[in-house]
Amino acid sequence: AHHPRTCLVVCDGAGSAAVSELGAQALAVGMQRLLHSLEYDWVDLLDNTAAIHEDQTRRMVRLLLRHAKGLLQDLAQLHRRDVRDFRSTLLMLVMGKEHLLWLKVGDGALIIEKIQQHKLLDEHNQPQLQPILTTLGGLGKGEFANQTTFIDDNLLMSNVQFGVESSTHVTGLAAMSDG
């Protein structure tokens, strides 16, 4: 049986953009489809025990962002509006057998739960297992309280947070926006 890979995608439209809810919806659906279409690439990147090189990660992130921008450009063309009217944040996480890849444009939170051995022993002299929650990336807020970064034509790689983590002992994933 083929089990689809766990992929999280959360998008939150910019409050200042006229039809950002359309952009957020198109982005969420389109990026989910892309993540599943890239299955063979994920096998190579995330299911191998070999260390992942930074350039492999950066190349994949650039591909994901190019697709995200393209989805909003297509939507803007379809509705004859400026692409900025559809701006949205983007949170993504893709699980693999050995690694997970995460990407963050804007605010919101990506959280992973990992089980770790605790120094204390249980009644059978076995190490206790303890869940540890970790957020991936920073808060994604800009210089001012209400400022954040969005997927649009002006997005720079320097405003994108991304990384690769070991997926060993991961027991939970969460993605949430402030919306």
Side-chain angles (χ1 to χ4, degrees), residues 23 27 30 47 52 73 87 92 96 106 124 130 149 151 159 178:
L27 211 49
D47 292 350
I52 298 176
Q73 287 162 352
R87 289 184 304 175
M92 289 183 12
H124 304 294
Q130 180 178 8
T149 306
I151 297 285
N159 291 328
D178 67 350

Side-chain angles (χ1 to χ4, degrees), residues 5-8 42 46-47 93-97 99-101 167-168 170 173:
R5 181 175 302 275
T6 299
C7 302
L8 298 184
W42 297 129
L46 302 178
D47 292 350
L93 195 145
V94 183
M95 275 297 282
K97 290 179 181 158
H99 310 280
L100 63 84
L101 180 134
S167 62
T168 311
V170 170
L173 305 169

Side-chain angles (χ1 to χ4, degrees), residues 19 22-23 26 68-86 153:
V19 285
L22 295 178
K69 285 181 182 182
L71 287 168
L72 294 189
Q73 287 162 352
D74 291 348
L75 200 57
Q77 196 171 6
L78 181 70
H79 290 276
R80 295 185 183 91
R81 296 187 80 120
D82 192 297
V83 74
R84 287 178 304 215
D85 290 344
F86 299 93
D153 284 343

Side-chain angles (χ1 to χ4, degrees), residues 13 31 112 163 171:
M31 294 308 287
I112 58 172
T171 53

Side-chain angles (χ1 to χ4, degrees), residues 47-114:
D47 292 350
N48 291 324
T49 53
I52 298 176
H53 297 289
E54 166 106 19
D55 60 324
Q56 286 176 291
T57 307
R58 191 168 285 277
R59 194 167 36 248
M60 180 57 84
V61 166
R62 285 186 191 281
L63 184 151
L64 296 171
L65 293 172
R66 195 165 43 247
H67 191 77
K69 285 181 182 182
L71 287 168
L72 294 189
Q73 287 162 352
D74 291 348
L75 200 57
Q77 196 171 6
L78 181 70
H79 290 276
R80 295 185 183 91
R81 296 187 80 120
D82 192 297
V83 74
R84 287 178 304 215
D85 290 344
F86 299 93
R87 289 184 304 175
S88 173
T89 62
L90 174 63
L91 300 173
M92 289 183 12
L93 195 145
V94 183
M95 275 297 282
K97 290 179 181 158
E98 297 294 328
H99 310 280
L100 63 84
L101 180 134
W102 62 273
L103 180 152
K104 203 173 155 184
V105 177
D107 54 10
L110 284 170
I111 301 158
I112 58 172
E113 178 189 68
K114 282 191 177 191

